[in-house]
Amino acid sequence: MSAIISIILGVLEEGLVYAIMAMGVYITYKILDFPDLSVDGTFPLGSAVTAVLIIAGVNPVLTLFISFLIGACAGMLTGLIHVKLKVRDLLSGIIMMTALYSLNLRIAGKANLPIFSQDTIFKNAFFKTVVPKVLQPYTMLVLLLIIAVIMKLLLDGYLKTKSGYLLRAVGDNEVLVTALAKDKGTVKIIGLAIANAFVALAGSIYAQKSGFFEISTGTGTIVIGLASVIIGTNLFKRKPFIKANGLFKKGITVKATTAVVIGAILYKACVAVAIAAGMEASDLKLITALLFLIILVVSNGRKRRVRAGD
Amino acid sequence: MKKVLSVLLVAVLAVSLMAGCGTKGDSVTIGIGQFAEHGSLDNCREGFLAGLAEKGYVEGKNLKVDFENAQADGAIASQIANNFVANKVDLICGIATPMAQSAFGAAQDKDIPVIFTAVTDPVAAELANADRTPVGNITGTSDKLPVEMQLEMIRKVLPDAKTIGIMYSTSEVNSVSAIEEYKAVAGDYGFEIVESGISTTADIPLAADNLLGKVDCINNLTDNTVVSSLPVILEKAAAKNIPVFGSEIEQVKIGCLAAVGLDYYDLGKQTGLMAAQVLSGEKKASEINFEVIDEAAFYGNSAVASNLGITLPEDLVSSAKEMFDTISE
């Protein structure tokens, strides 16, 4: 395998894990218009829960579901703090994130919990025997792709239900929700629960992929999530993305969830390229910030042009 | 927009192409990932390169070194490890526990040997078996603190002291296990340990004020967070005339009274020699047990001692590996 292929493989793997997390951030940031910082805590929460459960002998696949549920509980708490205790959105996320830092350390018992010697969803006897040796480097990617696609389809499906419709309405027009005689608070809580469930699931997968839980992996999750969402959604803003032409009869439209997945992969690709190009890790955050800015400015510019044309 | 994007895309592809085209000949390429930036780990890296050079692997000649620092960010550490694996380096050196684990996780089943160093407890980190044998294609050196020798030294310097304050970050496994060990043996030397756990650098000033009000002296571990803010603690301690003991040479250099500690340069060098064995094909990483440095050396700072009005015992000073007479910034 050439170096380029394995770099791409690595980027796709990392990107897909973070794509699941980014879909969660998409729900809060784009749909609910709620800047939810609790993800910095729920991502390692998923990792911590998974590491502890796997060591206790729980089936690695089952830990995915448990992490999902526990993430949902954490998200629900953020929602309750915001809705019932009337704490501002940004602050309720910060409160939850801070609380989860200690909680994660309590759950794992320590800051770093290895599961190298345990079976995971990626590394187990089943794959070793069933998958031919040549294909083994690709099992992780295929598995991640399957999980990411399932989660994306589930989210797409959910957004089409009545509850999903209300979720979108809360972000766009709260009055409408009230007019429909629905409690917008409950809708927000549900949205936060789903979002953080996605994030914790990503954390669970991340721990199984890297082979250990480490408290410091949570820091900056929200930045990666926001970057993925912003890159993805701005990139594919135009509908259809490719206009109808001879090649594509109907043109190509990209769903927002797909855009977010691609955004996450692109973000990871940028980081990988930055590191490969000899950029210091200490400069990476600056690169991220610049990338953010460029994409936001470019997409704003387009909006202005459209308005001027009206 | 489309134009901008396509230019970006081309640039991305071009860079990744260039990154992929490392030429291999007689020379070997190694990736060194360092988890955080501070004196001990930097010394470790220099020692590592010196050890390699001693065995004929000289950087710039027949050794290409790809060095990355994760700046204490776990996600970056894993990205760095993945990049090393993707670039097919001949060997990865992981400095400090999270970096070593990331490297091992990424290189597992990829036939790239991993050498770790500055990992306090390789067994707890699942990087080695309890009998010191490797768990895979990985070996290295541990920087376990010589706890008992340190306590013995503190007793000699401060015959009347009763309590020792230790500050550590709750998020660093190495520190947590060191605290446990200190608590277990402190009684044998007539000390009581007062611990103070912190989460971030920002907690340090308050925690230091609180701790300094309760103890006769402070003892420092190799805790990455605390060490990087050591000057803050030293300044506050100096104001109250409370001695601060260190755990290695760099800490004494910048103003700790004394330390019985490892020489991280030596530790790195020992690790470099092991890496050379692996690179030359003499042994596989999976055949070498992890090593610890058994010798610990005494370091003292006479400038700090005179500021505190303490005389360091003659026998310690004469046995010192290095004495400092200034406090470097």
Side-chain angles (χ1 to χ4, degrees):
Chain A
M1 219 179 353
S2 83
I4 296 174
I5 292 180
S6 53
I7 287 185
I8 294 172
L9 207 62
V11 164
L12 286 176
E13 286 170 2
E14 288 259 319
L16 284 171
V17 176
Y18 280 100
I20 297 169
M21 182 273 292
M23 281 191 263
V25 174
Y26 168 74
I27 299 174
T28 47
Y29 176 71
K30 272 282 171 183
I31 300 184
L32 278 181
D33 198 17
F34 188 114
D36 178 26
L37 294 188
S38 38
V39 295
D40 267 30
T42 39
F43 187 79
L45 173 69
S47 300
V49 167
T50 302
V52 168
L53 287 177
I54 285 187
I55 288 171
V58 176
N59 184 305
V61 179
L62 196 58
T63 64
L64 296 179
F65 292 96
I66 300 174
S67 304
F68 189 84
L69 288 179
I70 290 183
C73 294
M76 215 181 285
L77 276 178
T78 311
L80 286 171
I81 292 173
H82 172 60
V83 174
K84 300 291 177 203
L85 305 180
K86 304 204 168 26
V87 177
R88 278 176 54 187
D89 48 7
L90 199 61
L91 290 177
S92 22
I94 292 176
I95 289 171
M96 204 56 206
M97 169 185 87
T98 312
L100 280 172
Y101 186 88
S102 300
L103 215 60
N104 289 339
L105 282 174
R106 280 278 168 211
I107 291 172
K110 47 187 177 173
N112 180 301
L113 198 59
I115 47 170
F116 287 122
S117 54
Q118 314 282 337
D119 275 4
T120 65
I121 52 168
F122 303 112
K123 199 184 75 179
N124 50 46
F126 177 72
F127 281 138
K128 276 209 176 105
T129 49
V130 173
V131 183
K133 192 120 202 181
V134 214
L135 294 178
Q136 275 187 5
Y138 304 100
T139 41
M140 184 181 277
L141 181 61
V142 172
L143 207 56
L144 283 171
L145 198 62
I146 294 172
I147 300 175
V149 168
I150 291 176
M151 294 318 289
K152 183 201 118 58
L153 293 177
L154 280 177
L155 182 57
D156 284 345
Y158 170 74
L159 289 176
K160 276 187 199 141
T161 63
K162 196 174 165 201
S163 170
Y165 170 72
L166 284 172
L167 196 67
R168 284 188 287 171
V170 167
D172 287 341
N173 184 355
E174 291 195 358
V175 183
L176 176 69
V177 181
T178 319
L180 289 170
K182 298 283 177 197
D183 179 20
K184 63 178 189 224
T186 317
V187 179
K188 272 190 187 172
I189 294 173
I190 293 175
L192 282 165
I194 298 175
N196 283 290
F198 271 70
V199 177
L201 173 69
S204 169
I205 299 170
Y206 187 81
Q208 305 200 38
K209 177 178 175 295
S210 52
F212 61 100
F213 155 75
E214 157 73 38
I215 191 85
S216 70
T217 47
T219 328
T221 307
I222 184 67
V223 180
I224 304 176
L226 283 178
S228 309
V229 171
I230 291 172
I231 292 173
T233 51
N234 281 308
L235 208 53
F236 300 104
K237 219 174 197 173
R238 192 187 318 166
K239 282 186 178 177
F241 177 61
I242 295 174
K243 280 187 191 143
N245 56 25
L247 204 55
F248 306 102
K249 286 256 162 56
K250 282 183 173 169
I252 292 181
T253 31
V254 178
K255 269 221 174 79
T257 42
T258 316
V260 168
V261 173
I262 298 174
I265 294 169
L266 280 181
Y267 173 73
K268 279 287 160 185
C270 291
V271 176
V273 167
I275 292 181
M279 220 80 81
E280 299 262 340
S282 40
D283 299 335
L284 282 180
K285 302 252 153 134
L286 182 64
I287 311 272
T288 310
L290 286 177
L291 200 69
F292 253 140
L293 193 64
I294 290 170
I295 289 185
L296 284 175
V297 169
V298 167
S299 57
N300 277 347
R302 198 168 67 209
K303 219 182 283 170
R304 269 201 297 278
R305 272 203 303 280
V306 171
R307 277 206 197 115
D310 278 347
Chain B
M1 179 66 184
K2 219 171 169 186
K3 254 186 202 161
V4 177
L5 275 175
S6 44
V7 169
L8 267 176
L9 207 69
V10 169
V12 165
L13 283 175
V15 175
S16 46
L17 220 80
M18 281 188 284
C21 293
T23 43
K24 280 186 186 174
D26 284 345
S27 76
V28 289
T29 309
I30 61 167
I32 302 182
Q34 185 175 321
F35 187 63
E37 191 160 16
H38 64 72
S40 329
L41 298 183
D42 294 343
N43 286 349
C44 213
R45 184 184 74 239
E46 278 166 30
F48 182 73
L49 290 173
L52 280 172
E54 198 175 300
K55 289 288 175 184
Y57 292 99
V58 183
E59 185 179 0
K61 271 185 170 173
N62 57 349
L63 178 72
K64 199 169 157 266
V65 179
D66 187 357
F67 170 68
E68 302 286 352
N69 190 321
Q71 305 290 348
D73 185 329
I76 303 272
S78 114
Q79 188 90 45
I80 288 173
N82 285 336
N83 262 43
F84 285 158
V85 171
N87 284 326
K88 294 199 178 306
V89 293
D90 296 294
L91 179 142
I92 302 176
C93 171
I95 304 179
T97 310
M99 192 65 233
Q101 286 174 319
S102 296
F104 181 52
Q108 240 178 348
D109 310 319
K110 300 272 165 62
D111 203 29
I112 296 176
V114 177
I115 306 284
F116 60 80
T117 181
V119 173
T120 302
D121 194 342
V123 178
E126 289 196 15
L127 297 173
N129 295 317
D131 59 355
R132 285 197 186 180
T133 53
V135 286
N137 202 2
I138 179 167
T139 187
T141 54
S142 153
D143 63 345
K144 198 170 171 342
L145 292 170
V147 171
E148 300 220 19
M149 289 164 78
Q150 173 88 352
L151 286 169
E152 196 184 324
M153 179 273 290
I154 298 179
R155 183 45 83 210
K156 269 188 198 161
V157 178
L158 304 172
D160 302 323
K162 288 188 189 67
T163 48
I164 302 179
I166 303 183
M167 199 188 293
Y168 70 105
S169 43
T170 46
S171 61
E172 289 189 35
V173 212
N174 292 344
S175 310
V176 178
S177 64
I179 285 274
E180 290 307 317
E181 198 171 343
Y182 265 105
K183 281 204 273 193
V185 292
D188 300 349
Y189 298 87
F191 288 118
E192 190 199 328
I193 302 289
V194 181
E195 58 182 290
S196 171
I198 54 141
S199 310
T200 67
T201 318
D203 301 339
I204 290 177
L206 270 182
D209 286 335
N210 182 30
L211 194 60
L212 285 165
K214 292 193 281 198
V215 297
D216 298 322
C217 67
I218 286 205
N219 182 43
N220 217 356
L221 308 173
T222 45
D223 190 289
N224 292 314
T225 315
V226 175
V227 171
S228 40
S229 293
L230 191 55
V232 179
I233 302 167
L234 287 171
E235 198 185 303
K236 288 185 182 290
K240 293 197 170 175
N241 218 32
I242 291 177
V244 178
F245 293 92
S247 54
E248 46 90 41
I249 179 168
E250 288 298 320
Q251 298 175 10
V252 178
K253 213 187 266 177
I254 62 168
C256 284
L257 175 61
V260 173
L262 306 175
D263 185 329
Y264 273 80
Y265 184 85
D266 286 350
L267 183 76
K269 199 166 170 186
Q270 191 171 340
T271 320
L273 296 177
M274 292 166 82
Q277 281 187 323
V278 175
L279 283 174
S280 67
E282 192 183 327
K283 270 185 184 170
K284 282 189 173 162
S286 53
E287 294 165 358
I288 310 174
N289 289 1
F290 84 82
E291 296 174 5
V292 288
I293 283 197
D294 298 320
E295 286 170 53
F298 175 80
Y299 303 95
N301 194 318
S302 50
V304 178
S306 69
N307 285 349
L308 290 165
I310 291 175
T311 342
L312 289 170
E314 196 50 45
D315 60 324
L316 282 179
V317 174
S318 60
S319 73
K321 181 155 182 186
E322 206 167 338
M323 287 294 295
F324 297 94
D325 49 17
T326 52
I327 302 170
S328 51
E329 289 298 315

